[in-house]
Amino acid sequence: MASKESSVTALQDSVDLAFEGKNIRLPVVRGTEDEVAVDIAKLRDTTGLITLDNGYGNTGSCQSAITFIDGDKGILRYRGYDIAELAEKSNYLEVAWLLIHGELPTAAQAAELRNSVTRHTMLHEDFRRFFDALPKQAHPMPVCAAAISTLSTFYGEKETEAEIQDGIVRLLAKMPTIAACAYKHSIGQPFMYPRNDLDYCSNFLRMMFATPCEDYVADPVVARALDLLLILHADHEQNCSTSTVRLVGSSKAPLFACIAAGITALWGPLHGGANQQVIEMLDDIAREGGNVEKFVARAKDKTSGARLMGFGHRVYKNYDPRASILKKSCTEVLRKVGGGKGETARLLDIAMRLEDVALHDEYFISHKLYPNVDFYSGVIYKALEIPSNMFTVMFAMGRLSGWIAQWREMRRDPTFRIGRPRQVYTGPALRAYVPLSKRG
Ligand code: ACO
């Protein structure tokens, strides 16, 4: 119930709640884009009530100045900058700086970041033994999570500002090397050392695709497409993996361990793992003769257990702005890298037809299900010849900067507390212990 003086929406600054004779006035918190939240910090102390919010769809876990999303209008901004403008004009390392530090870097700061990231890309040689210990068929996501977590065994865990800055640079620098090593390990090829004369994405592509017998020179179109994907994935406010990073970080676990937890959360098919599933779904449709309508019908049938991967989003109920940017980029990339023919073109054609059928289907319209960022990213990765088990790793490489920014914001917040949700217990009430001899 809204308080009397707050019944005029523009002035509403509190909400009154009455429960079993106890009254509480809950303050309303307003964000810079006028989004509103009821601050329930005193709710339990005053009324004994807690809130129950399955999947946290109505719960704000923090106040944050990093990313703004308006899911109804399809808006995504990093530190106030529109995602489309950043995608067009910026580059990944600059966006990483923006997310972490709050402002675009000056020319000197950008040069310093590029330089320090470039000079920290090598892994400790002992990492070879780490990779050697893992099975070849391991999915690169848990390999990356384990490798990032292992960084805390190589570097200091003190939380001085200097150590934190070093940790941030090491993460940004070593993540592409770790990702490429995870891939090389899985196909049994020798690891390629990073090269300091290459930019961030060209260096990664070379570590993925060169061998000691044959060098690889990244096509600038491919490197730019990858950079764009990293920008689009860089942050997305309090999603599953970011909330995981914050929750783990709230125990004051070291940065590397928190990022490893984020990678693990991202792996799931309902989150970052969806991009791999999208391409597998498109492959399935292609194998079954390209019958898109049949697949849409299956996705609508709840008993089938199938979903249209790459469709739907917890916050975007109109369109995902990242998907719009990628759809445009997808056709351009395919044209430029020669993927306009053959298997990739066939998958893109199926993706376009799938999107068209779904967007005109009553079920998808009424459920507000639109293509999300993962829908087109898989097709682009395929055109760039990134293997499908590496798609989610690409996502993690991009999201890394957002995780770092969110972790840092949380740790610097003066109101910082360990995250500790409550629950409504539904198990048995108190009962007496039954000795083994008396149990059925
Ligand atoms: N295909 C078919 N039906 C769907 C789909 C889909 N992709 N997504 C949601 N629905 C239906 C559900 O069955 C449900 O229907 P009902 O209300 O009739 O029972 C309704 O839409 C709401 O679905 P929820 O799962 O409750 O929505 P939620 O917000 O919890 O889930 C999610 C969002 C996980 C993204 C979901 O849409 C989904 O599973 N999509 C496919 C996986 C995917 O693409 N994930 C990537 C997300 S983007 C990212 O993480 C970067």
Side-chain angles (χ1 to χ4, degrees):
M1 177 178 79
S3 63
K4 198 170 165 223
E5 71 274 25
S6 63
S7 55
V8 181
T9 314
L11 297 177
Q12 191 165 326
D13 61 3
S14 64
V15 168
D16 288 347
L17 189 90
F19 177 68
E20 293 182 346
K22 293 170 198 137
N23 296 306
I24 181 169
R25 177 157 294 178
L26 300 163
V28 167
V29 179
R30 235 167 246 276
T32 43
E33 294 284 347
D34 253 0
E35 67 279 30
V36 281
V38 183
D39 180 348
I40 58 157
K42 301 264 182 290
L43 180 67
R44 184 169 171 277
D45 280 352
T46 315
T47 64
L49 283 171
I50 61 164
T51 56
L52 186 60
D53 185 16
N54 187 16
Y56 307 120
N58 305 280
T59 298
S61 60
C62 60
Q63 296 192 42
S64 177
I66 300 172
T67 289
F68 171 68
I69 299 175
D70 184 327
D72 294 327
K73 294 190 185 137
I75 292 174
L76 169 61
R77 294 182 201 140
Y78 298 159
R79 301 282 191 184
Y81 294 100
D82 188 74
I83 189 66
E85 197 175 6
L86 290 171
E88 187 193 333
K89 301 177 183 165
S90 190
N91 61 68
Y92 178 65
L93 282 186
E94 184 177 79
V95 165
W97 179 283
L98 170 70
L99 288 168
I100 296 166
H101 298 285
E103 296 296 337
L104 287 166
T106 62
Q109 288 166 335
E112 168 54 24
L113 179 66
R114 261 196 319 274
N115 185 47
S116 46
V117 165
T118 303
R119 292 186 173 278
H120 282 84
T121 43
M122 274 196 301
L123 298 179
H124 194 291
E125 277 298 295
D126 288 351
F127 252 98
R128 286 185 179 276
R129 292 213 303 277
F130 163 88
F131 284 107
D132 281 349
L134 301 174
K136 289 268 178 282
Q137 70 277 14
H139 194 285
M141 278 300 270
V143 174
C144 286
I148 293 287
S149 189
T150 303
L151 288 177
S152 6
T153 66
F154 284 89
Y155 303 106
E157 288 166 25
K158 281 199 225 88
E159 264 200 34
T160 61
E161 189 51 27
E163 291 261 7
I164 290 173
Q165 289 307 328
D166 284 350
I168 291 172
V169 166
R170 285 188 175 116
L171 277 168
L172 290 170
K174 294 183 197 306
M175 180 70 191
T177 314
I178 286 172
C181 288
Y183 172 61
K184 288 295 199 191
H185 175 72
S186 74
I187 56 169
Q189 283 188 1
F191 298 153
M192 296 302 294
Y193 284 95
R195 273 219 343 230
N196 286 1
D197 59 330
L198 297 176
D199 64 68
Y200 197 73
C201 288
S202 305
N203 187 39
F204 169 71
L205 288 164
R206 186 182 163 277
M207 288 189 288
M208 283 280 292
F209 298 121
T211 67
C213 335
E214 198 168 65
D215 205 2
Y216 168 95
V217 180
D219 181 334
V221 172
V222 174
R224 173 60 196 149
L226 183 57
D227 199 65
L228 171 75
L229 282 153
L230 298 187
I231 293 173
L232 296 181
H233 281 116
D235 196 47
H236 213 238
E237 51 119 301
Q238 307 314 316
N239 54 82
C240 173
S241 55
T242 303
S243 299
T244 301
V245 169
R246 279 186 177 256
L247 191 58
V248 175
S250 79
S251 75
K252 293 211 169 176
L255 174 60
F256 297 128
C258 301
I259 300 298
I263 295 174
T264 307
L266 188 72
W267 185 20
L270 296 190
H271 193 12
N275 55 14
Q276 180 178 342
Q277 305 255 329
V278 168
I279 216 76
E280 287 168 5
M281 174 185 76
L282 296 177
D283 271 335
D284 283 349
I285 297 175
R287 246 194 321 275
E288 288 177 26
N291 189 340
V292 160
E293 287 77 7
K294 192 170 124 198
F295 217 84
V296 170
R298 201 184 302 160
K300 290 192 293 183
D301 174 8
K302 297 261 193 284
T303 60
S304 74
R307 279 193 169 192
L308 218 48
M309 298 315 284
F311 267 73
H313 201 280
R314 175 61 63 78
V315 294
Y316 294 121
K317 299 300 175 195
N318 183 345
Y319 69 94
D320 180 339
R322 303 165 300 172
S324 311
I325 296 168
L326 281 185
K327 183 176 176 179
K328 190 161 158 273
S329 150
C330 201
T331 2
E332 283 171 16
V333 168
L334 254 63
R335 201 177 52 239
K336 286 185 190 154
V337 301
K341 305 186 283 287
E343 196 201 343
T344 317
R346 185 147 180 251
L347 294 187
L348 179 64
D349 173 60
I350 292 176
M352 298 264 193
R353 284 195 288 127
L354 194 59
E355 180 184 353
D356 189 55
V357 171
L359 290 183
H360 292 94
D361 187 285
E362 173 47 30
Y363 174 91
F364 286 86
I365 295 169
S366 63
H367 284 74
K368 296 185 191 279
L369 298 169
Y370 299 88
N372 58 47
V373 66
D374 287 329
F375 191 66
Y376 281 108
S377 61
V379 181
I380 300 189
Y381 288 135
K382 180 106 184 157
L384 304 187
E385 298 182 349
I386 307 276
S388 60
N389 66 351
M390 286 293 289
F391 288 3
T392 316
V393 175
M394 303 291 102
F395 191 157
M397 265 172 61
R399 185 56 56 86
L400 174 64
S401 52
W403 289 331
I404 295 170
Q406 301 271 352
W407 178 90
R408 199 172 135 89
E409 181 180 68
M410 177 193 65
R411 284 294 178 81
R412 298 176 129 204
D413 181 350
T415 65
F416 161 81
R417 296 174 81 195
I418 188 167
R420 205 306 185 181
R422 298 239 170 213
Q423 64 164 20
V424 175
Y425 174 68
T426 58
L430 179 66
R431 46 186 176 161
Y433 178 80
V434 182
L436 191 56
S437 57
K438 299 236 169 93
R439 287 177 225 159

